[in-house]
């Protein structure tokens, strides 16, 4: 279907306004492909007509549907394993030395999509049971997509999804079969919660020791990225740890965080002691 410049500007502008994410030229194919089902379901004749309808003041539900269709939910268990292991094997134990008295950790997975990242953290910590015995660990997963958060809360994944990055031992010990899918066992849900949250809004309440914000900010404009980094500083402990995606960095993006001199790929608040 032909995408007129007016429709592209209107729909990509709506998407950025509501999520902060830009549809760069290399991603604009999603406007046509991802919105086909929306237009068929509503008998809308084309992208120009869809753009006109979402502009109506009362089209709140349609706008939300369009944004949901354009979101990228790509994720999988233990994504970027090397970086993940750095966090779990080095970053968290380093924090544990500073939290020994309280024996409490709060971890925020921002932009968690369908929940594989928070569950991966929970599984990794459960595997190191001796180290973390007696600790209270809260893992909060958030995403702008209500559909993704609904799936994360359900904890049900297809055979294809559990085959992407999940070790067999985790599948056996952390999941129960459910038809042709797999459901996270109740014991693995302990301490894990999910909520709909937009990174353009104030962070969830409370202070976090660790924030993972991976493969989300790369879709933001430089100005919005700086704003989000500033918001993250209000949510992270002074000696906390920030983890970004493998292709992301704070260098040249913000003065709010600096690289961790000892742990490659992790970042600290600029005010860290």
């Amino acid at each position: 279907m032909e995408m007129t410049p007016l429709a592209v500007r209107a729909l990509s502008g709506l998407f950025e306004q509501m999520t902060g994410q830009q549809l760069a030229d290399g991603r604009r194919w999603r406007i046509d492909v991802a919105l086909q089902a929306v237009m068929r379901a509503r008998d809308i004749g084309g992208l120009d007509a869809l753009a006109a309808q979402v502009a109506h003041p009362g089209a709140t539900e349609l706008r939300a549907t369009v944004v949901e269709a354009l979101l990228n939910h790509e994720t999988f268990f233990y994504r970027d394993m090397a970086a993940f292991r750095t966090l779990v094997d080095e970053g968290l134990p380093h924090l544990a030395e500073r939290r020994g008295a309280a024996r409490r950790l709060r971890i925020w997975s921002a932009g968690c999509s369908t929940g594989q990242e928070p569950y991966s953290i929970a599984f990794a910590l459960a595997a190191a049971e001796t180290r973390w015995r007696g600790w209270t660990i809260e893992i909060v997963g958030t995403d702008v997509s209500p559909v993704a958060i609904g799936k994360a809360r359900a904890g049900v994944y297809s055979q294809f999804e559990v085959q992407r990055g999940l070790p067999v031992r985790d599948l056996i010990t952390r999941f129960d079969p459910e038809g042709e899918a797999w459901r996270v066992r109740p014991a693995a849900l302990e301490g894990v919660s999910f909520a709909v949250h937009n990174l353009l809004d104030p962070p969830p309440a409370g202070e976090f020791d660790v924030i993972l914000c991976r493969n989300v900010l790369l879709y933001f404009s430089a100005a919005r990225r700086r704003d989000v980094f500033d918001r993250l500083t209000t949510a992270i402990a002074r000696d906390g740890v920030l983890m970004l995606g493998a292709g992301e960095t704070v260098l040249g993006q913000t003065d709010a965080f600096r690289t961790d001199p000892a742990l490659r790929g992790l970042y600290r608040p600029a005010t860290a002691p």
Side-chain angles (χ1 to χ4, degrees), residues 18 53-54 56-66:
M18 294 186 68
Q53 289 195 26
V54 299
H56 292 166
T60 303
E61 190 271 336
L62 177 59
R63 284 192 289 271
T65 300
V66 166

Side-chain angles (χ1 to χ4, degrees), residues 13 22 24 42 72 82 86 111 117 128 133 136-137 139 145 189 192 202 211 213 224-225 232 256 259 269 273:
Q22 293 181 317
R42 296 167 183 265
N72 177 8
T86 297
E117 180 173 271
R133 185 177 293 126
T136 299
I137 300 178
I139 303 170
S145 166
L189 298 172
V192 182
I211 298 178
C213 187
R224 287 188 185 273
R225 199 177 299 131
L232 295 182
T259 57

Side-chain angles (χ1 to χ4, degrees), residues 18-19 106 108-111 140-144 195-208 211 220 224 227-236:
M18 294 186 68
T19 69
R106 295 190 77 225
W108 175 22
S109 171
V140 179
T142 67
D143 198 272
V144 70
V196 176
H197 174 263
N198 192 324
L199 283 171
L200 301 180
D201 295 332
E207 186 176 80
F208 292 92
I211 298 178
F220 284 44
R224 287 188 185 273
D227 289 343
V228 173
F229 278 128
D230 288 342
R231 288 188 179 90
L232 295 182
T233 61
T234 68
I236 196 168

Side-chain angles (χ1 to χ4, degrees), residues 137-239:
I137 300 178
E138 180 185 0
I139 303 170
V140 179
T142 67
D143 198 272
V144 70
S145 166
V147 172
I149 289 299
K151 180 177 175 64
R153 284 178 176 148
V156 178
Y157 297 95
S158 69
Q159 184 68 36
F160 172 75
E161 288 169 322
V162 299
Q163 287 177 332
R164 297 190 71 197
L166 188 72
V168 173
R169 67 179 182 276
D170 279 349
L171 181 61
I172 294 171
T173 59
R174 314 295 179 195
F175 288 79
D176 289 319
E178 186 167 295
E180 297 183 356
W182 296 85
R183 180 183 292 274
V184 178
R185 289 181 178 173
L189 298 172
E190 190 172 336
V192 182
S193 64
F194 295 95
V196 176
H197 174 263
N198 192 324
L199 283 171
L200 301 180
D201 295 332
E207 186 176 80
F208 292 92
D209 303 291
V210 179
I211 298 178
L212 298 93
C213 187
R214 302 201 291 166
N215 306 301
V216 180
L217 295 182
L218 56 87
Y219 298 122
F220 284 44
S221 68
R224 287 188 185 273
R225 199 177 299 131
R226 284 193 298 271
D227 289 343
V228 173
F229 278 128
D230 288 342
R231 288 188 179 90
L232 295 182
T233 61
T234 68
I236 196 168
R238 284 192 64 220
D239 60 347

Side-chain angles (χ1 to χ4, degrees), residues 22-181:
Q22 293 181 317
L23 284 172
D25 291 343
R27 296 179 68 217
R28 289 198 172 178
W29 59 269
R30 293 185 61 83
I31 293 178
D32 184 18
V33 174
L35 296 179
Q36 288 293 326
V38 175
M39 291 186 289
R40 283 196 301 270
R42 296 167 183 265
D43 195 25
I44 297 174
L47 291 171
D48 283 325
L50 177 62
Q53 289 195 26
V54 299
H56 292 166
T60 303
E61 190 271 336
L62 177 59
R63 284 192 289 271
T65 300
V66 166
V67 168
E68 181 67 50
L70 291 173
L71 285 168
N72 177 8
H73 296 313
E74 170 67 11
T75 187
F76 49 90
F77 291 100
Y78 296 100
R79 188 175 187 178
D80 301 328
M81 177 60 86
F84 190 90
R85 296 268 37 126
T86 297
L87 173 66
V88 171
D89 295 342
E90 301 180 62
L92 293 184
H94 179 75
L95 272 172
E97 296 176 4
R98 297 171 175 265
R99 304 290 189 273
R103 298 173 73 81
R104 179 181 179 86
L105 282 176
R106 295 190 77 225
I107 301 171
W108 175 22
S109 171
C112 74
S113 187
T114 47
Q116 284 92 324
E117 180 173 271
Y119 287 129
S120 297
I121 298 168
F123 300 161
L125 294 175
E129 180 183 3
T130 301
R131 177 188 292 276
W132 299 107
R133 185 177 293 126
W135 283 71
T136 299
I137 300 178
E138 180 185 0
I139 303 170
V140 179
T142 67
D143 198 272
V144 70
S145 166
V147 172
I149 289 299
K151 180 177 175 64
R153 284 178 176 148
V156 178
Y157 297 95
S158 69
Q159 184 68 36
F160 172 75
E161 288 169 322
V162 299
Q163 287 177 332
R164 297 190 71 197
L166 188 72
V168 173
R169 67 179 182 276
D170 279 349
L171 181 61
I172 294 171
T173 59
R174 314 295 179 195
F175 288 79
D176 289 319
E178 186 167 295
E180 297 183 356

